Amino acid sequence: TAGQHAACWREFYTFIFLEILPLERSSEDVDIIFTRLKEVKAFEKFHPNLLQQICLCGYYENLEKGITLFRQGDIGTNWYAVLTGSLDVKVSDTSNHQDAVTICTLGIGTAFGESILDNTPRHATIVTREYSELLRIEQKDFKALWEKYRQHMSGLLTPPYGVMETGSNNDKPHIPHRPTKTITQVPSEKILRAGKILRNTILSRAPHMIRDRKYHLKTYRQCCVGTELVDWMMQQSPCVHSRTQAVGMWQVLLEEGVLNHVDQEHHFQDKYLFYRFLDDEREDAPLPTEEEKKECDEELQDTMLLLSQIGPDAHMRMILRKPPGQRTVDDLEFIYEELLHIKALSHLSTTVSIFKNIIHHQKGVFNQGEEGTSWYIILKGSVNVVIYGKGVVCTLHEGDDFGKLALVNDAPRAASIVLREDNCHFLRVDKEDFNRILRDVEANTVRLKEHDQDVLVLEKIPAGNRVSNQVNSQPQHKYIVMSGTPEKILEHFLETMRLEATLNEATDSILNDFIMMHCVFMPNSQLCPALMAQYPFPSQGTEQEKMDYALNNKRRVIRLVLQWAALYGDLLQEDEAAMAFLEEFYVSVSDDTRMIAALKEQLPELEKVVKQVSEEPKAPQKKHKVLLQLFNTSDDRAQKRQPIRGSDEVLFKVYCIDQTYTTIRVPVSSSVKEVISAVADKLGSGEGLIIVKMSSGGEKVVLKPHDISVFTTLSVNGRLFACPRDQFDSLAPLPEQEGPSTGTVGTFELMSSKDLAHQMTIYDWELFNCVHELELIYHTFGRHNFKKTTANLDLFLRRFNEIQFWVVTEVCLCSQLSKRVQLLKKYIKIAAHCKEYKNLNSFFAIIMGLSNVAVSRLSLTWEDPSRNHRAYRLTVTKLDPPIIPFMPLLIKDMTFTHEGNKTFTDNLVNFEKMRMIANTVRTVKFCRSQSFNPDAALTNKNHQDVRSYVRQLNVIDNQRTLSQMSHRLEPRRA
């Protein structure tokens, strides 16, 4: 192709210029070589100044196949980088080169020959595997580059130089102090087992990875290479999606001594470094038997899942053990993302970046009466707070903090902190840094007062990453709202609104936060009059001044109203105050266009919005049928799913104590009080009636009279019961709630895994696309406070549970061991295809179904989703929409923020909290920013049977029943 020809000519000219002797190269020659070499993998991380020097001193070599570049034991004179081709690395245990064995191959982008730094003999023989082109640097030039650019080169070379720390004034590389062999003295049984499974699986599937390795004439027994371990890990499971995640998983084993670096380094690195499994430390390390190989194959996915869950914590600890000055940009980003989800720091959303350079790892506590020198945040484990004479007064867990009081009051410690478990980890912030945080926050705070009371609190933050053209210019800043009265917050946003910005511009996100969150602190009944109050003409100033002020002010209000109506959309139809305001506002703007012609530009858009919102929904009877389909999945007619509105009516069965039922017809958003009234009309009496939510396991919850929209909040097999209060104890689940007694593996094992994942994704997208962003806010703050339904969100969340229990149900109902094995493989394939389709909700539902105790029979718990799913969050940021997100995690994040922060502080709206929650809600908007287009090749085929199957899953959702079935299939071993 033309592109390939261009690339070939570019390489050709580069090599021609490299053949020019260094002293004869012009600056233009060097520029051409530089442009080419910076695209070569071996040099992609080199500092530009270093690469420029390489262009000045490097030579070009081209060798035919079979040429020996140098032999093992030779004293080296050159360093090389591979531009094209490949070379074999051969090592001999004897002096006879005929006995040499090829241990690896060097490909394009690799470099070798750094033994010239200390004049040690070559540790291997290098022979060209094919026609190859090399860049060669002579010893004297390479040593000069090393002395000048050691800090840039040390991390890119193979051991021992690649693991050496360098000092700025030392002539020789400085070998770092070797700490103790392991961080955890005694490995846990769980991680010991995980290491054994991984080692045995490697020996079974890729035995070449564990072998004796020779470097600089020294033999390292039975070792693996870091990069190869990472490569292998990523190939074994769909739950490993990045090299960084795999590094964290191997770090878990390294921390507990189940895997060891040959030089006792504590950090696992994705480099050409040698690691050895604990079992291979012995001279007579046993090979796995066939039975052990089979067991490891069966347990591998559970092991990978376990390590993927606890790996991020190990990665975090690995970073925190580094001195602050040695942390990379990626390290700091990882820490920053982690800190956002620590409870003690949740209120520091705008100042938390300060922690990037001042956090330290610490294993220690203090005693009552000691001087306060640090503030602590618990990363792992728990501690007791002990006061003399009182004993243990409380216990602190992960995410809690302690030690602030002594720093703020400059007083001795008021209590002792005692570890409750051996392996606790903390973030420690020194007193000086802690005081700087407080000082910087207060110095950047502006308070607006009225009648000696704060009405608006602003904080100064950097305006962004824009760089000024002036060399010594100060970074630009802006002020964001931290708290205030609702009216003052609205007034501030109107005053600072940028009229030239487009409606969807990212810089308008803070204004969108107000529009999205105002229902929490400023309902429409309060917002609409406030907007009208901001709209009239001013009464002071000249006619021209009043006209100019009125034009800008009115345009801002119109702009905000348009954004508000765009977000709320059809939901405004259910709000009489909002509808009346829109009509009144449109009339006012229409009247003003006679005096202010410039307002005519916005009038058509405002008219369009008012007409769309004001139109009454047509064909209510048709809409009622659509709603029936949403609640009755057996009706599988192919029609587009419509969002559920609070005013939609639903036919629903409410059961009595004798397990008969009555069918009521009420709006979806009906309160429990209204449901009782509807049931009473059917039964003839409602005196003393209560409504009870009953799960298949017999758990009963009495619903409160003000609870609304209870129909969609039931568990997968849950039912509603009505009974007198004194008969509550007699209620029992219905037989139909038990779920199926036979599995459907015979049906869906014939279906393609890809087809199943595809149809699941289509159905999940339909459900997800109906969820309004505001439903997440109603769900978080309590929908009864808004009297709004969250029916669409409820159904989407219930779908997650349905898929999770589908996996467990089918496995537990499958009596044949061989079929169960095939079933597990099929679910893993379906999960992989879901991930391929970016259906992360179903992907995680299947994974959690496979990790259910009834399936895995292992204690794989998700202790803290807000922390153990950090890898998921990073994945979402790297995916392009459309995406179906892991909705339970979004709900968890919002609940975490809501419960950890007050909505009002000193009678002011905590707008920082609003902004944090809105930021999570924006994830939903991002995931749907592109429309979902099903795979036409799959959709056009006859997949009606698959489509029907995935929409009518019949499951057992009683965990006790599932566990009992699991133990009947495979009784616990004695």
mmCIF file with all atom_site columns, all heavy atoms in Angstrom, residues 243-263:
data_model
loop_
_atom_site.group_PDB
_atom_site.id
_atom_site.type_symbol
_atom_site.label_atom_id
_atom_site.label_alt_id
_atom_site.label_comp_id
_atom_site.label_asym_id
_atom_site.label_entity_id
_atom_site.label_seq_id
_atom_site.pdbx_PDB_ins_code
_atom_site.Cartn_x
_atom_site.Cartn_y
_atom_site.Cartn_z
_atom_site.occupancy
_atom_site.B_iso_or_equiv
_atom_site.pdbx_formal_charge
_atom_site.auth_seq_id
_atom_site.auth_comp_id
_atom_site.auth_asym_id
_atom_site.auth_atom_id
_atom_site.pdbx_PDB_model_num
ATOM 1   N N   . ARG A 1 243 ? -2.680 -4.337  32.236 1.00 0.00 ? 243 ARG A N   1
ATOM 2   C CA  . ARG A 1 243 ? -1.409 -4.775  32.804 1.00 0.00 ? 243 ARG A CA  1
ATOM 3   C C   . ARG A 1 243 ? -1.261 -4.255  34.235 1.00 0.00 ? 243 ARG A C   1
ATOM 4   O O   . ARG A 1 243 ? -0.717 -4.936  35.103 1.00 0.00 ? 243 ARG A O   1
ATOM 5   C CB  . ARG A 1 243 ? -0.243 -4.295  31.922 1.00 0.00 ? 243 ARG A CB  1
ATOM 6   C CG  . ARG A 1 243 ? -0.305 -4.776  30.481 1.00 0.00 ? 243 ARG A CG  1
ATOM 7   C CD  . ARG A 1 243 ? 0.982  -4.481  29.727 1.00 0.00 ? 243 ARG A CD  1
ATOM 8   N NE  . ARG A 1 243 ? 2.088  -5.328  30.138 1.00 0.00 ? 243 ARG A NE  1
ATOM 9   C CZ  . ARG A 1 243 ? 2.308  -6.552  29.673 1.00 0.00 ? 243 ARG A CZ  1
ATOM 10  N NH1 . ARG A 1 243 ? 1.476  -7.092  28.792 1.00 0.00 ? 243 ARG A NH1 1
ATOM 11  N NH2 . ARG A 1 243 ? 3.345  -7.244  30.084 1.00 0.00 ? 243 ARG A NH2 1
ATOM 12  N N   . THR A 1 244 ? -1.756 -3.052  34.482 1.00 0.00 ? 244 THR A N   1
ATOM 13  C CA  . THR A 1 244 ? -1.691 -2.496  35.838 1.00 0.00 ? 244 THR A CA  1
ATOM 14  C C   . THR A 1 244 ? -2.454 -3.369  36.818 1.00 0.00 ? 244 THR A C   1
ATOM 15  O O   . THR A 1 244 ? -2.001 -3.620  37.940 1.00 0.00 ? 244 THR A O   1
ATOM 16  C CB  . THR A 1 244 ? -2.269 -1.072  35.846 1.00 0.00 ? 244 THR A CB  1
ATOM 17  O OG1 . THR A 1 244 ? -1.502 -0.246  34.971 1.00 0.00 ? 244 THR A OG1 1
ATOM 18  C CG2 . THR A 1 244 ? -2.231 -0.476  37.249 1.00 0.00 ? 244 THR A CG2 1
ATOM 19  N N   . GLN A 1 245 ? -3.635 -3.854  36.390 1.00 0.00 ? 245 GLN A N   1
ATOM 20  C CA  . GLN A 1 245 ? -4.418 -4.731  37.261 1.00 0.00 ? 245 GLN A CA  1
ATOM 21  C C   . GLN A 1 245 ? -3.661 -6.028  37.530 1.00 0.00 ? 245 GLN A C   1
ATOM 22  O O   . GLN A 1 245 ? -3.628 -6.521  38.659 1.00 0.00 ? 245 GLN A O   1
ATOM 23  C CB  . GLN A 1 245 ? -5.774 -5.030  36.628 1.00 0.00 ? 245 GLN A CB  1
ATOM 24  C CG  . GLN A 1 245 ? -6.689 -5.863  37.521 1.00 0.00 ? 245 GLN A CG  1
ATOM 25  C CD  . GLN A 1 245 ? -7.957 -6.291  36.810 1.00 0.00 ? 245 GLN A CD  1
ATOM 26  O OE1 . GLN A 1 245 ? -8.125 -6.045  35.622 1.00 0.00 ? 245 GLN A OE1 1
ATOM 27  N NE2 . GLN A 1 245 ? -8.846 -6.935  37.532 1.00 0.00 ? 245 GLN A NE2 1
ATOM 28  N N   . ALA A 1 246 ? -3.037 -6.591  36.487 1.00 0.00 ? 246 ALA A N   1
ATOM 29  C CA  . ALA A 1 246 ? -2.280 -7.837  36.659 1.00 0.00 ? 246 ALA A CA  1
ATOM 30  C C   . ALA A 1 246 ? -1.099 -7.629  37.609 1.00 0.00 ? 246 ALA A C   1
ATOM 31  O O   . ALA A 1 246 ? -0.786 -8.499  38.423 1.00 0.00 ? 246 ALA A O   1
ATOM 32  C CB  . ALA A 1 246 ? -1.792 -8.340  35.302 1.00 0.00 ? 246 ALA A CB  1
ATOM 33  N N   . VAL A 1 247 ? -0.431 -6.479  37.521 1.00 0.00 ? 247 VAL A N   1
ATOM 34  C CA  . VAL A 1 247 ? 0.679  -6.176  38.433 1.00 0.00 ? 247 VAL A CA  1
ATOM 35  C C   . VAL A 1 247 ? 0.191  -6.199  39.876 1.00 0.00 ? 247 VAL A C   1
ATOM 36  O O   . VAL A 1 247 ? 0.836  -6.763  40.771 1.00 0.00 ? 247 VAL A O   1
ATOM 37  C CB  . VAL A 1 247 ? 1.298  -4.798  38.102 1.00 0.00 ? 247 VAL A CB  1
ATOM 38  C CG1 . VAL A 1 247 ? 2.208  -4.323  39.237 1.00 0.00 ? 247 VAL A CG1 1
ATOM 39  C CG2 . VAL A 1 247 ? 2.083  -4.869  36.797 1.00 0.00 ? 247 VAL A CG2 1
ATOM 40  N N   . GLY A 1 248 ? -0.989 -5.596  40.130 1.00 0.00 ? 248 GLY A N   1
ATOM 41  C CA  . GLY A 1 248 ? -1.544 -5.615  41.482 1.00 0.00 ? 248 GLY A CA  1
ATOM 42  C C   . GLY A 1 248 ? -1.844 -7.020  41.972 1.00 0.00 ? 248 GLY A C   1
ATOM 43  O O   . GLY A 1 248 ? -1.647 -7.333  43.156 1.00 0.00 ? 248 GLY A O   1
ATOM 44  N N   . MET A 1 249 ? -2.302 -7.892  41.064 1.00 0.00 ? 249 MET A N   1
ATOM 45  C CA  . MET A 1 249 ? -2.623 -9.272  41.446 1.00 0.00 ? 249 MET A CA  1
ATOM 46  C C   . MET A 1 249 ? -1.363 -10.037 41.823 1.00 0.00 ? 249 MET A C   1
ATOM 47  O O   . MET A 1 249 ? -1.348 -10.805 42.788 1.00 0.00 ? 249 MET A O   1
ATOM 48  C CB  . MET A 1 249 ? -3.384 -9.944  40.301 1.00 0.00 ? 249 MET A CB  1
ATOM 49  C CG  . MET A 1 249 ? -4.764 -9.329  40.053 1.00 0.00 ? 249 MET A CG  1
ATOM 50  S SD  . MET A 1 249 ? -5.507 -9.784  38.460 1.00 0.00 ? 249 MET A SD  1
ATOM 51  C CE  . MET A 1 249 ? -5.912 -11.512 38.752 1.00 0.00 ? 249 MET A CE  1
ATOM 52  N N   . TRP A 1 250 ? -0.273 -9.849  41.054 1.00 0.00 ? 250 TRP A N   1
ATOM 53  C CA  . TRP A 1 250 ? 0.991  -10.501 41.418 1.00 0.00 ? 250 TRP A CA  1
ATOM 54  C C   . TRP A 1 250 ? 1.573  -9.889  42.685 1.00 0.00 ? 250 TRP A C   1
ATOM 55  O O   . TRP A 1 250 ? 2.245  -10.570 43.459 1.00 0.00 ? 250 TRP A O   1
ATOM 56  C CB  . TRP A 1 250 ? 1.997  -10.392 40.266 1.00 0.00 ? 250 TRP A CB  1
ATOM 57  C CG  . TRP A 1 250 ? 1.689  -11.301 39.106 1.00 0.00 ? 250 TRP A CG  1
ATOM 58  C CD1 . TRP A 1 250 ? 1.372  -10.943 37.840 1.00 0.00 ? 250 TRP A CD1 1
ATOM 59  C CD2 . TRP A 1 250 ? 1.671  -12.734 39.123 1.00 0.00 ? 250 TRP A CD2 1
ATOM 60  N NE1 . TRP A 1 250 ? 1.140  -12.039 37.059 1.00 0.00 ? 250 TRP A NE1 1
ATOM 61  C CE2 . TRP A 1 250 ? 1.329  -13.162 37.813 1.00 0.00 ? 250 TRP A CE2 1
ATOM 62  C CE3 . TRP A 1 250 ? 1.899  -13.693 40.104 1.00 0.00 ? 250 TRP A CE3 1
ATOM 63  C CZ2 . TRP A 1 250 ? 1.209  -14.503 37.473 1.00 0.00 ? 250 TRP A CZ2 1
ATOM 64  C CZ3 . TRP A 1 250 ? 1.789  -15.033 39.772 1.00 0.00 ? 250 TRP A CZ3 1
ATOM 65  C CH2 . TRP A 1 250 ? 1.460  -15.428 38.472 1.00 0.00 ? 250 TRP A CH2 1
ATOM 66  N N   . GLN A 1 251 ? 1.312  -8.596  42.913 1.00 0.00 ? 251 GLN A N   1
ATOM 67  C CA  . GLN A 1 251 ? 1.806  -7.945  44.122 1.00 0.00 ? 251 GLN A CA  1
ATOM 68  C C   . GLN A 1 251 ? 1.222  -8.590  45.378 1.00 0.00 ? 251 GLN A C   1
ATOM 69  O O   . GLN A 1 251 ? 1.875  -8.657  46.415 1.00 0.00 ? 251 GLN A O   1
ATOM 70  C CB  . GLN A 1 251 ? 1.467  -6.449  44.079 1.00 0.00 ? 251 GLN A CB  1
ATOM 71  C CG  . GLN A 1 251 ? 1.928  -5.654  45.289 1.00 0.00 ? 251 GLN A CG  1
ATOM 72  C CD  . GLN A 1 251 ? 3.437  -5.564  45.403 1.00 0.00 ? 251 GLN A CD  1
ATOM 73  O OE1 . GLN A 1 251 ? 4.139  -5.622  44.403 1.00 0.00 ? 251 GLN A OE1 1
ATOM 74  N NE2 . GLN A 1 251 ? 3.940  -5.418  46.620 1.00 0.00 ? 251 GLN A NE2 1
ATOM 75  N N   . VAL A 1 252 ? -0.023 -9.079  45.288 1.00 0.00 ? 252 VAL A N   1
ATOM 76  C CA  . VAL A 1 252 ? -0.640 -9.777  46.420 1.00 0.00 ? 252 VAL A CA  1
ATOM 77  C C   . VAL A 1 252 ? 0.229  -10.952 46.854 1.00 0.00 ? 252 VAL A C   1
ATOM 78  O O   . VAL A 1 252 ? 0.512  -11.150 48.036 1.00 0.00 ? 252 VAL A O   1
ATOM 79  C CB  . VAL A 1 252 ? -2.055 -10.274 46.047 1.00 0.00 ? 252 VAL A CB  1
ATOM 80  C CG1 . VAL A 1 252 ? -2.625 -11.144 47.157 1.00 0.00 ? 252 VAL A CG1 1
ATOM 81  C CG2 . VAL A 1 252 ? -2.989 -9.096  45.786 1.00 0.00 ? 252 VAL A CG2 1
ATOM 82  N N   . LEU A 1 253 ? 0.675  -11.736 45.874 1.00 0.00 ? 253 LEU A N   1
ATOM 83  C CA  . LEU A 1 253 ? 1.508  -12.904 46.177 1.00 0.00 ? 253 LEU A CA  1
ATOM 84  C C   . LEU A 1 253 ? 2.879  -12.481 46.689 1.00 0.00 ? 253 LEU A C   1
ATOM 85  O O   . LEU A 1 253 ? 3.456  -13.125 47.569 1.00 0.00 ? 253 LEU A O   1
ATOM 86  C CB  . LEU A 1 253 ? 1.661  -13.779 44.926 1.00 0.00 ? 253 LEU A CB  1
ATOM 87  C CG  . LEU A 1 253 ? 0.372  -14.286 44.274 1.00 0.00 ? 253 LEU A CG  1
ATOM 88  C CD1 . LEU A 1 253 ? 0.703  -15.155 43.079 1.00 0.00 ? 253 LEU A CD1 1
ATOM 89  C CD2 . LEU A 1 253 ? -0.475 -15.067 45.253 1.00 0.00 ? 253 LEU A CD2 1
ATOM 90  N N   . LEU A 1 254 ? 3.411  -11.391 46.129 1.00 0.00 ? 254 LEU A N   1
ATOM 91  C CA  . LEU A 1 254 ? 4.731  -10.922 46.540 1.00 0.00 ? 254 LEU A CA  1
ATOM 92  C C   . LEU A 1 254 ? 4.705  -10.442 47.991 1.00 0.00 ? 254 LEU A C   1
ATOM 93  O O   . LEU A 1 254 ? 5.627  -10.693 48.764 1.00 0.00 ? 254 LEU A O   1
ATOM 94  C CB  . LEU A 1 254 ? 5.187  -9.801  45.611 1.00 0.00 ? 254 LEU A CB  1
ATOM 95  C CG  . LEU A 1 254 ? 6.662  -9.400  45.695 1.00 0.00 ? 254 LEU A CG  1
ATOM 96  C CD1 . LEU A 1 254 ? 7.542  -10.508 45.146 1.00 0.00 ? 254 LEU A CD1 1
ATOM 97  C CD2 . LEU A 1 254 ? 6.915  -8.106  44.920 1.00 0.00 ? 254 LEU A CD2 1
ATOM 98  N N   . GLU A 1 255 ? 3.628  -9.747  48.378 1.00 0.00 ? 255 GLU A N   1
ATOM 99  C CA  . GLU A 1 255 ? 3.507  -9.222  49.738 1.00 0.00 ? 255 GLU A CA  1
ATOM 100 C C   . GLU A 1 255 ? 3.539  -10.334 50.783 1.00 0.00 ? 255 GLU A C   1
ATOM 101 O O   . GLU A 1 255 ? 4.099  -10.171 51.859 1.00 0.00 ? 255 GLU A O   1
ATOM 102 C CB  . GLU A 1 255 ? 2.199  -8.438  49.891 1.00 0.00 ? 255 GLU A CB  1
ATOM 103 C CG  . GLU A 1 255 ? 2.261  -7.015  49.427 1.00 0.00 ? 255 GLU A CG  1
ATOM 104 C CD  . GLU A 1 255 ? 1.030  -6.226  49.821 1.00 0.00 ? 255 GLU A CD  1
ATOM 105 O OE1 . GLU A 1 255 ? 0.024  -6.832  50.216 1.00 0.00 ? 255 GLU A OE1 1
ATOM 106 O OE2 . GLU A 1 255 ? 1.087  -5.003  49.749 1.00 0.00 ? 255 GLU A OE2 1
ATOM 107 N N   . GLU A 1 256 ? 2.933  -11.449 50.455 1.00 0.00 ? 256 GLU A N   1
ATOM 108 C CA  . GLU A 1 256 ? 2.824  -12.527 51.444 1.00 0.00 ? 256 GLU A CA  1
ATOM 109 C C   . GLU A 1 256 ? 3.906  -13.589 51.290 1.00 0.00 ? 256 GLU A C   1
ATOM 110 O O   . GLU A 1 256 ? 3.875  -14.627 51.944 1.00 0.00 ? 256 GLU A O   1
ATOM 111 C CB  . GLU A 1 256 ? 1.434  -13.171 51.366 1.00 0.00 ? 256 GLU A CB  1
ATOM 112 C CG  . GLU A 1 256 ? 0.305  -12.176 51.627 1.00 0.00 ? 256 GLU A CG  1
ATOM 113 C CD  . GLU A 1 256 ? -0.853 -12.798 52.378 1.00 0.00 ? 256 GLU A CD  1
ATOM 114 O OE1 . GLU A 1 256 ? -0.679 -13.854 53.001 1.00 0.00 ? 256 GLU A OE1 1
ATOM 115 O OE2 . GLU A 1 256 ? -1.941 -12.208 52.330 1.00 0.00 ? 256 GLU A OE2 1
ATOM 116 N N   . GLY A 1 257 ? 4.869  -13.324 50.405 1.00 0.00 ? 257 GLY A N   1
ATOM 117 C CA  . GLY A 1 257 ? 5.994  -14.243 50.281 1.00 0.00 ? 257 GLY A CA  1
ATOM 118 C C   . GLY A 1 257 ? 5.690  -15.498 49.507 1.00 0.00 ? 257 GLY A C   1
ATOM 119 O O   . GLY A 1 257 ? 6.497  -16.423 49.491 1.00 0.00 ? 257 GLY A O   1
ATOM 120 N N   . VAL A 1 258 ? 4.529  -15.557 48.847 1.00 0.00 ? 258 VAL A N   1
ATOM 121 C CA  . VAL A 1 258 ? 4.189  -16.724 48.027 1.00 0.00 ? 258 VAL A CA  1
ATOM 122 C C   . VAL A 1 258 ? 4.914  -16.640 46.683 1.00 0.00 ? 258 VAL A C   1
ATOM 123 O O   . VAL A 1 258 ? 5.153  -17.642 46.024 1.00 0.00 ? 258 VAL A O   1
ATOM 124 C CB  . VAL A 1 258 ? 2.657  -16.810 47.828 1.00 0.00 ? 258 VAL A CB  1
ATOM 125 C CG1 . VAL A 1 258 ? 2.278  -17.950 46.908 1.00 0.00 ? 258 VAL A CG1 1
ATOM 126 C CG2 . VAL A 1 258 ? 1.979  -16.964 49.184 1.00 0.00 ? 258 VAL A CG2 1
ATOM 127 N N   . LEU A 1 259 ? 5.270  -15.426 46.286 1.00 0.00 ? 259 LEU A N   1
ATOM 128 C CA  . LEU A 1 259 ? 6.119  -15.168 45.126 1.00 0.00 ? 259 LEU A CA  1
ATOM 129 C C   . LEU A 1 259 ? 7.223  -14.236 45.623 1.00 0.00 ? 259 LEU A C   1
ATOM 130 O O   . LEU A 1 259 ? 6.943  -13.322 46.402 1.00 0.00 ? 259 LEU A O   1
ATOM 131 C CB  . LEU A 1 259 ? 5.313  -14.493 44.006 1.00 0.00 ? 259 LEU A CB  1
ATOM 132 C CG  . LEU A 1 259 ? 6.059  -14.214 42.705 1.00 0.00 ? 259 LEU A CG  1
ATOM 133 C CD1 . LEU A 1 259 ? 6.213  -15.501 41.900 1.00 0.00 ? 259 LEU A CD1 1
ATOM 134 C CD2 . LEU A 1 259 ? 5.293  -13.173 41.863 1.00 0.00 ? 259 LEU A CD2 1
ATOM 135 N N   . ASN A 1 260 ? 8.462  -14.460 45.207 1.00 0.00 ? 260 ASN A N   1
ATOM 136 C CA  . ASN A 1 260 ? 9.580  -13.644 45.710 1.00 0.00 ? 260 ASN A CA  1
ATOM 137 C C   . ASN A 1 260 ? 10.437 -13.132 44.564 1.00 0.00 ? 260 ASN A C   1
ATOM 138 O O   . ASN A 1 260 ? 10.698 -13.849 43.588 1.00 0.00 ? 260 ASN A O   1
ATOM 139 C CB  . ASN A 1 260 ? 10.456 -14.456 46.674 1.00 0.00 ? 260 ASN A CB  1
ATOM 140 C CG  . ASN A 1 260 ? 9.715  -14.826 47.935 1.00 0.00 ? 260 ASN A CG  1
ATOM 141 O OD1 . ASN A 1 260 ? 9.162  -13.966 48.605 1.00 0.00 ? 260 ASN A OD1 1
ATOM 142 N ND2 . ASN A 1 260 ? 9.688  -16.117 48.252 1.00 0.00 ? 260 ASN A ND2 1
ATOM 143 N N   . HIS A 1 261 ? 10.869 -11.888 44.692 1.00 0.00 ? 261 HIS A N   1
ATOM 144 C CA  . HIS A 1 261 ? 11.854 -11.340 43.771 1.00 0.00 ? 261 HIS A CA  1
ATOM 145 C C   . HIS A 1 261 ? 13.215 -11.912 44.163 1.00 0.00 ? 261 HIS A C   1
ATOM 146 O O   . HIS A 1 261 ? 13.514 -12.076 45.349 1.00 0.00 ? 261 HIS A O   1
ATOM 147 C CB  . HIS A 1 261 ? 11.855 -9.813  43.883 1.00 0.00 ? 261 HIS A CB  1
ATOM 148 C CG  . HIS A 1 261 ? 12.764 -9.143  42.911 1.00 0.00 ? 261 HIS A CG  1
ATOM 149 N ND1 . HIS A 1 261 ? 14.081 -8.884  43.188 1.00 0.00 ? 261 HIS A ND1 1
ATOM 150 C CD2 . HIS A 1 261 ? 12.552 -8.679  41.649 1.00 0.00 ? 261 HIS A CD2 1
ATOM 151 C CE1 . HIS A 1 261 ? 14.641 -8.291  42.152 1.00 0.00 ? 261 HIS A CE1 1
ATOM 152 N NE2 . HIS A 1 261 ? 13.740 -8.151  41.201 1.00 0.00 ? 261 HIS A NE2 1
ATOM 153 N N   . VAL A 1 262 ? 14.065 -12.240 43.199 1.00 0.00 ? 262 VAL A N   1
ATOM 154 C CA  . VAL A 1 262 ? 15.329 -12.906 43.507 1.00 0.00 ? 262 VAL A CA  1
ATOM 155 C C   . VAL A 1 262 ? 16.251 -12.027 44.348 1.00 0.00 ? 262 VAL A C   1
ATOM 156 O O   . VAL A 1 262 ? 17.142 -12.527 45.032 1.00 0.00 ? 262 VAL A O   1
ATOM 157 C CB  . VAL A 1 262 ? 16.045 -13.349 42.216 1.00 0.00 ? 262 VAL A CB  1
ATOM 158 C CG1 . VAL A 1 262 ? 15.260 -14.436 41.514 1.00 0.00 ? 262 VAL A CG1 1
ATOM 159 C CG2 . VAL A 1 262 ? 16.311 -12.160 41.291 1.00 0.00 ? 262 VAL A CG2 1
ATOM 160 N N   . ASP A 1 263 ? 16.053 -10.699 44.302 1.00 0.00 ? 263 ASP A N   1
ATOM 161 C CA  . ASP A 1 263 ? 16.847 -9.783  45.126 1.00 0.00 ? 263 ASP A CA  1
ATOM 162 C C   . ASP A 1 263 ? 16.024 -9.161  46.241 1.00 0.00 ? 263 ASP A C   1
ATOM 163 O O   . ASP A 1 263 ? 16.346 -8.091  46.751 1.00 0.00 ? 263 ASP A O   1
ATOM 164 C CB  . ASP A 1 263 ? 17.460 -8.688  44.254 1.00 0.00 ? 263 ASP A CB  1
ATOM 165 C CG  . ASP A 1 263 ? 18.603 -9.212  43.399 1.00 0.00 ? 263 ASP A CG  1
ATOM 166 O OD1 . ASP A 1 263 ? 19.279 -10.156 43.846 1.00 0.00 ? 263 ASP A OD1 1
ATOM 167 O OD2 . ASP A 1 263 ? 18.809 -8.694  42.295 1.00 0.00 ? 263 ASP A OD2 1
#
